[in-house]
Amino acid sequence: MKIYSHLIQTRLRFKSKWIIPFCFILFLIQNVDAQITETLIEEIEVADGATIVSNIPSAIDIMVNGTMKCNNTKNRYSINGKNNDIRLNILKELIIETWDKNTIKQETIISIKTESDDTSKKLMKQLKINLKNGPDNRIVIDNNVNISSFHMKNSFFKSDDCKIQLDNGEMHTIEYISIETRLSIPKSCNLAIKGNKECIIRIGELEGNIDLELKYAEVYGRSVKNLRASFRSCYAVHFSKVNIADISSSNSNMVIQKAGLVKIGNQPLNDACNLPHVTSKRSHSAQSKYIFGSVENLSVSDSTNDDFNINQVLNLKVKKTSYTDFKIDLLTQSLNAEAKSSDLIIANISNQFSEINIKNSLSTIDLSFNEDANYLLQVDQNNYVEGNHLLSNPKKVENGKNIFQVGESGKGGNIFLKCDRCKFNIQ
Amino acid sequence: MQTIYEMFSKEMMATSQRITNHRSDSEDILQEAFLTSFQKISLLKEDQKYGSWLKRIVINSSLKLIKSRKNFNSLNEVEHLESEVIDQKWYEEISFEVIQEAIHQLPDGARAVFSLYLLEGYKHKEIAEVLDISVSTSKSQYRYAIKLLREKLSHSLYE
Amino acid sequence: MNDFEKYILENKRQLEPKKVDPKVWLAVENEILKGKNKRFQYLIKALILGIILSFVAYFFYSNIHQNQPLDEERILAQYDLTQYNFTQQVNIKKQQLAKASVPQDKIEDFQILLQQLEFMDGQFQDYLQYIEENGYQEFIGDQILNFYKSKIELLDKIQKEVEKINYYENLQPSNSDKVEIQI
């Protein structure tokens, strides 16, 4: 009995004296030693005209049992009820740089923290990148490094918090993981990226074709030769230069600083970008905001309730469009528009313009010319219109049209306006 | 508790054994009876009545046991018992071990009635109720038990 | 009662066994101790059961809390978006539009715009599904912020178009009956 009580006393003394340093050491062991970081690098040679097909790092399925709480730090998750406990951190940026070499290089930086250093190392060995040439000169890039899913459970037991499932079905408990992928591809390559989850994609200068099917993504591209894209709820899409763009979008915001040919709504939205809850047919472009710097040829079709803000456009063609408004700082050559309830505000029309042909209804049409502009304006008489003094004083009436000649006859462009219940402001 | 046990155990053992005629069974009954009484002793209002309360438990358990035996036959009235002519003090020379042995050799029913009536102070009416027999059967079984005892003990005098 | 019977009764104590096997008392004592242990065990079990029940109740409560169906208000609260009063703004605008009417021959032109509201509702359902499948993620908060701005802009646009139609209807009546907008 004496021995026993002595033991108790010893334990109590140990507790009171060493408990804080002991916990501190435990804290250090828990928080510093078990995290390891490794960079996986692979580089392969590709043939000319190769197409690179990539998924996005956030494509890994996240299976949540319970509710995850969003905190204020971007790209971080925490389990509800365990505030400040960051279990998973995926850097969802996919950086695609281009170079003059004919190789593709994939660099993936992975950081893992598990219960021990050994477990982390064993798990790290199983995470691989696998870069290889596929059929039809296609290279498929998997940014998910053998991980098929994350599992999170809001459980009492810490080990249930976060697990990753590998492609081979193995489950591993993790406390932290981060994956950052950087691709370097030849400038001449074609690139295809699909994703229906949050992702930030940065694309360097590319001479090949880019095919994007994205939902909830942000895209920042530099100079791109050919862009075909389908966007849903992508609130930040930015390209500095595009030679040819063919874009369908819904609830997205897009900026293109300089473009050759831009087609909007030319093709239906891709299936991945459609809403599963809505079966009705919808426009190829809807509720999107387009901000363009300088565009040579802009073609808009099947657009509803979009908003275009264009700095300069050479030729603008609009058809099958309703409730879509256009604000143009400078129209240089031609405008052909068949629309409904779509306002057209053009701050400046170049003296070199050749044709403006507008069929519209219930709209405001503002056309501003230079003072020395020459043009022949023909306005359909049969429809009720309101306008400024210019329209109240036609030179002549011919074939049911009020005809106005501004400036010298036989010089400048022609304007045809047929607008039902519209407000004109032509000056 | 051990003091109480020591105070009552022999009497209770004798009572039970006279009914069951089986030592091991009686030990079990004793064990259960004491355990029950200790667990429920707080329910007892008067401490003095502990002995009789305990005895009632022991008797009831013992009767329940013998009734459950397959060979326990329901008791019948024993007819034409002649009134006995008893010699004065013939039993005084017989040791109590022999008397005890003779009692144990009585048939189950007769021994139970004998034990309850003579030694435990039950009335024939009460015996009739607990053994589910008629009062006259109880009486005749008792006389039968006395007769058998006398015969057995008389024999022992000549052996 | 004859003398023999009296003799037996008087010497009843002599008929008792000289001793009872000590194992009987040991068994009784053992059972008593067991009973005490049992009571202690019951206490421990009750305590453990109490703790387990508390945990179960806690998890049950937290699960109820967590598994509440996702609804608009809960989502907005989750992303600190209640400050913008989006739902109130949307409701006020919808109520105003519900009272609005346009000439019957113009309603068809209007359908494509009204359909946009249906798509927006579908978009919100998509957010809910995303949250259910992937948990709350911060970007969905940004998405919802943009979503409501777009929805309010859309409702404003519908209001503006109604006013525009009616403005021209007053200037040039079409003799068509007015019908309410189904919103």
Side-chain angles (χ1 to χ4, degrees):
Chain A
M1 189 57 104
K2 272 183 182 174
I3 294 168
Y4 184 64
S5 62
H6 173 74
L7 277 173
I8 292 172
Q9 281 170 10
T10 312
R11 275 184 203 167
L12 286 173
R13 274 207 300 276
F14 172 78
K15 264 187 186 177
S16 55
K17 196 175 173 183
W18 294 104
I19 189 80
I20 294 169
F22 181 71
C23 288
F24 182 69
I25 291 163
L26 264 182
F27 174 81
L28 286 179
I29 292 167
Q30 285 278 312
N31 290 279
V32 177
D33 289 353
Q35 182 171 325
I36 58 166
T37 300
E38 205 168 289
T39 306
L40 309 176
I41 303 175
E42 217 169 301
E43 188 170 348
I44 59 163
E45 203 168 297
V46 291
D48 282 347
T51 299
I52 295 153
V53 181
S54 174
N55 63 359
I56 54 175
S58 53
I60 299 167
D61 281 338
I62 300 173
M63 321 295 278
V64 183
N65 186 352
T67 313
M68 271 201 295
K69 188 179 165 65
C70 142
N71 62 17
N72 293 324
T73 313
K74 197 143 190 166
N75 302 334
R76 290 181 175 185
Y77 303 83
S78 70
I79 305 285
N80 200 8
K82 293 179 179 166
N83 294 346
N84 308 319
D85 256 357
I86 300 154
R87 301 288 170 200
L88 170 67
N89 178 6
I90 320 165
L91 293 174
K92 283 166 278 189
E93 227 171 72
L94 177 61
I95 301 164
I96 303 165
E97 289 179 342
T98 55
W99 56 17
D100 292 324
K101 290 158 75 175
N102 64 341
T103 56
I104 297 175
K105 184 179 172 191
Q106 184 177 359
E107 280 180 87
T108 304
I109 304 161
I110 308 168
S111 294
I112 303 174
K113 185 180 161 192
T114 64
E115 56 182 8
S116 73
D117 213 16
D118 275 353
T119 322
S120 299
K121 281 176 184 166
K122 277 178 194 165
L123 178 57
M124 185 66 90
K125 275 185 184 170
Q126 297 200 64
L127 303 182
K128 288 187 174 77
I129 53 175
N130 186 16
L131 208 54
K132 60 183 176 191
N133 275 296
D136 303 327
N137 205 11
R138 287 164 78 87
I139 296 99
V140 177
I141 293 172
D142 181 5
N143 290 296
N144 301 153
V145 288
N146 279 3
I147 300 170
S148 63
S149 56
F150 290 101
H151 294 255
M152 293 188 180
K153 197 175 178 184
N154 196 2
S155 160
F156 174 76
F157 302 103
K158 200 181 171 202
S159 59
D160 282 341
D161 283 357
C162 189
K163 284 187 163 73
I164 56 171
Q165 184 167 29
L166 303 182
D167 288 343
N168 62 10
E170 277 181 29
M171 297 284 278
H172 295 268
T173 300
I174 55 161
E175 289 178 24
Y176 173 90
I177 184 163
S178 118
I179 305 163
E180 188 181 345
T181 300
R182 185 180 293 267
L183 296 174
S184 301
I185 63 170
K187 271 185 185 168
S188 59
C189 269
N190 301 318
L191 178 66
I193 305 172
K194 273 187 188 180
N196 62 355
K197 288 189 179 175
E198 182 201 14
C199 183
I200 301 167
I201 301 165
R202 297 184 194 278
I203 307 166
E205 195 176 315
L206 202 71
E207 289 165 6
N209 303 324
I210 299 185
D211 199 336
L212 302 174
E213 289 175 19
L214 298 168
K215 189 157 89 167
Y216 304 139
E218 287 179 40
V219 184
Y220 300 94
R222 288 188 215 150
S223 176
V224 170
K225 204 167 186 179
N226 285 317
L227 169 68
R228 198 204 71 85
S230 205
F231 297 121
R232 157 167 293 287
S233 300
C234 296
Y235 284 110
V237 177
H238 190 283
F239 283 93
S240 52
K241 190 182 171 194
V242 182
N243 280 17
I244 299 170
D246 189 349
I247 298 163
S248 300
S249 104
S250 178
N251 291 81
S252 298
N253 296 343
M254 200 169 308
V255 177
I256 299 177
Q257 284 175 341
K258 193 173 181 188
L261 169 62
V262 178
K263 295 178 193 168
I264 302 291
N266 184 50
Q267 57 185 330
L269 273 167
N270 188 275
D271 283 349
C273 298
N274 269 328
L275 293 172
H277 310 284
V278 181
T279 50
S280 327
K281 184 189 171 294
R282 71 172 311 174
S283 307
H284 298 171
S285 177
Q287 289 201 191
S288 294
K289 288 184 168 58
Y290 299 95
I291 298 171
F292 296 147
S294 166
V295 187
E296 285 180 23
N297 298 298
L298 174 61
S299 167
V300 179
S301 61
D302 205 6
S303 154
T304 302
N305 195 27
D306 287 327
D307 196 21
F308 285 85
N309 201 321
I310 304 160
N311 187 244
Q312 184 179 339
V313 60
L314 196 66
N315 297 300
L316 171 61
K317 200 171 180 183
V318 180
K319 61 180 181 180
K320 280 181 74 186
T321 291
S322 47
Y323 304 104
T324 290
D325 295 334
F326 294 84
K327 276 185 188 166
I328 301 164
D329 288 342
L330 176 62
L331 173 74
T332 317
Q333 207 162 318
S334 70
L335 165 64
N336 271 285
E338 272 185 49
K340 281 181 186 173
S341 302
S342 296
D343 290 350
L344 273 160
I345 314 290
I346 305 174
N348 188 7
I349 297 168
S350 161
N351 286 357
Q352 281 75 44
F353 90 96
S354 57
E355 184 189 19
I356 294 174
N357 195 343
I358 299 170
K359 284 182 186 170
N360 209 334
S361 63
L362 291 161
S363 311
T364 297
I365 307 222
D366 281 10
L367 304 174
S368 295
F369 297 90
N370 295 322
E371 280 182 11
D372 57 345
N374 304 308
Y375 57 88
L376 182 71
L377 171 65
Q378 298 181 51
V379 182
D380 200 291
Q381 243 196 347
N382 296 327
N383 304 291
Y384 189 89
V385 293
E386 290 181 292
N388 58 1
H389 66 281
L390 177 75
L391 297 172
S392 60
N393 195 18
K395 297 279 182 199
K396 59 177 178 178
V397 178
E398 201 175 276
N399 299 327
K401 287 185 179 123
N402 291 328
I403 299 173
F404 308 86
Q405 177 65 55
V406 177
E408 287 184 43
S409 173
K411 282 188 176 177
N414 293 311
I415 305 170
F416 301 95
L417 300 179
K418 185 180 181 183
C419 203
D420 178 16
R421 293 162 293 164
C422 293
K423 275 186 186 174
F424 285 116
N425 185 17
I426 297 168
Q427 54 190 355
Chain B
M1 279 181 188
Q2 196 169 0
T3 317
I4 297 171
Y5 173 80
E6 279 166 3
M7 198 186 291
F8 292 102
S9 60
K10 285 183 198 167
E11 185 187 347
M12 297 305 151
M13 187 67 188
T15 304
S16 176
Q17 221 174 329
R18 274 195 295 272
I19 299 169
T20 65
N21 202 18
H22 197 279
R23 202 176 121 203
S24 175
D25 283 349
S26 292
E27 281 173 354
D28 288 347
I29 286 166
L30 210 62
Q31 183 188 323
E32 282 302 316
F34 272 107
L35 204 60
T36 311
S37 70
F38 289 151
Q39 281 167 350
K40 295 182 180 174
I41 201 161
S42 59
L43 301 173
L44 195 67
K45 286 174 187 168
E46 295 174 55
D47 292 351
Q48 292 85 345
K49 288 187 176 172
Y50 177 76
S52 55
W53 177 51
L54 180 66
K55 184 167 275 186
R56 194 162 287 274
I57 297 171
V58 170
I59 291 170
N60 287 343
S61 303
S62 304
L63 290 173
K64 196 177 169 185
L65 184 94
I66 58 164
K67 279 185 197 170
S68 68
R69 284 179 186 157
K70 281 180 184 172
N71 55 0
F72 181 79
N73 299 317
S74 57
L75 296 179
N76 295 317
E77 204 169 328
V78 185
E79 290 173 354
H80 311 300
L81 279 175
E82 291 167 7
S83 48
E84 298 164 38
V85 180
I86 303 163
D87 297 336
Q88 292 295 312
K89 312 288 181 191
W90 59 271
Y91 42 79
E92 282 183 343
E93 289 173 23
I94 304 167
S95 74
F96 286 107
E97 282 81 9
V98 175
I99 296 172
Q100 203 172 348
E101 185 55 36
I103 293 170
H104 285 300
Q105 283 173 8
L106 290 173
D108 280 355
R111 192 181 62 254
V113 174
F114 168 80
S115 181
L116 291 174
Y117 180 76
L118 182 63
L119 300 171
E120 309 307 340
Y122 277 52
K123 303 278 184 287
H124 281 301
K125 198 183 169 191
E126 289 172 304
I127 297 168
E129 278 172 18
V130 294
L131 287 178
D132 201 17
I133 54 175
S134 67
V135 174
S136 57
T137 304
S138 175
K139 283 178 181 174
S140 66
Q141 284 287 340
Y142 177 71
R143 283 197 300 275
Y144 179 53
I146 293 290
K147 183 177 173 270
L148 284 176
L149 260 184
R150 192 172 163 271
E151 280 171 12
K152 283 179 194 294
L153 293 173
S154 302
H155 283 299
S156 71
L157 280 173
Y158 302 107
E159 281 171 5
Chain C
M1 191 180 288
N2 61 31
D3 287 347
F4 172 64
E5 288 166 64
K6 278 181 193 164
Y7 177 74
I8 298 283
L9 188 59
E10 281 163 8
N11 294 287
K12 191 174 136 184
R13 306 279 310 180
Q14 302 294 328
L15 296 172
E16 288 173 5
K18 286 193 179 77
K19 62 169 188 174
V20 179
D21 193 332
K23 77 179 181 194
V24 178
W25 168 247
L26 288 174
V28 172
E29 194 180 33
N30 195 31
E31 286 298 316
I32 291 166
L33 287 174
K34 260 193 203 170
K36 280 183 183 168
N37 284 341
K38 261 186 192 169
R39 273 201 295 277
F40 183 68
Q41 281 171 359
Y42 283 140
L43 199 71
I44 294 286
K45 278 177 186 170
L47 202 68
I48 291 168
L49 194 71
I51 291 168
I52 290 168
L53 283 175
S54 308
F55 273 113
V56 168
Y58 167 75
F59 283 120
F60 185 66
Y61 170 77
S62 55
N63 275 335
I64 284 176
H65 182 66
Q66 286 163 17
N67 297 334
Q68 280 171 351
L70 292 173
D71 60 40
E72 208 169 1
E73 288 303 322
R74 195 172 153 214
I75 298 288
L76 292 175
Q78 179 70 43
Y79 290 108
D80 290 332
L81 296 173
T82 44
Q83 53 181 316
Y84 301 105
N85 297 325
F86 284 136
T87 46
Q88 291 92 324
Q89 286 188 61
V90 167
N91 286 339
I92 290 167
K93 287 180 192 298
K94 275 188 170 180
Q95 279 165 14
Q96 284 172 350
L97 279 170
K99 292 174 195 163
S101 57
V102 292
Q104 195 162 20
D105 61 347
K106 304 288 183 304
I107 195 85
E108 201 177 326
D109 290 351
F110 224 62
Q111 284 309 319
I112 195 162
L113 201 54
L114 294 178
Q115 218 174 26
Q116 296 298 313
L117 276 175
E118 188 195 336
F119 290 122
M120 294 222 78
D121 292 341
Q123 177 62 63
F124 200 82
Q125 287 300 314
D126 210 41
Y127 294 142
L128 297 185
Q129 190 178 332
Y130 196 100
I131 293 166
E132 291 213 335
E133 288 172 359
N134 304 293
Y136 287 103
Q137 292 178 28
E138 190 177 340
F139 88 97
I140 290 285
D142 296 339
Q143 283 279 331
I144 290 173
L145 190 69
N146 277 305
F147 166 84
Y148 274 105
K149 282 179 184 169
S150 298
K151 189 164 185 175
I152 288 164
E153 278 175 14
L154 175 61
L155 288 164
D156 283 342
K157 179 134 193 164
I158 294 171
Q159 183 70 46
K160 188 183 138 196
E161 293 299 324
V162 168
E163 285 166 9
K164 206 195 284 181
I165 289 171
N166 286 327
Y167 171 77
Y168 285 109
E169 183 65 19
N170 287 337
L171 289 176
Q172 192 182 37
S174 66
N175 298 323
S176 176
D177 290 338
K178 279 197 168 184
V179 290
E180 284 185 351
I181 300 166
Q182 300 296 318
I183 201 160

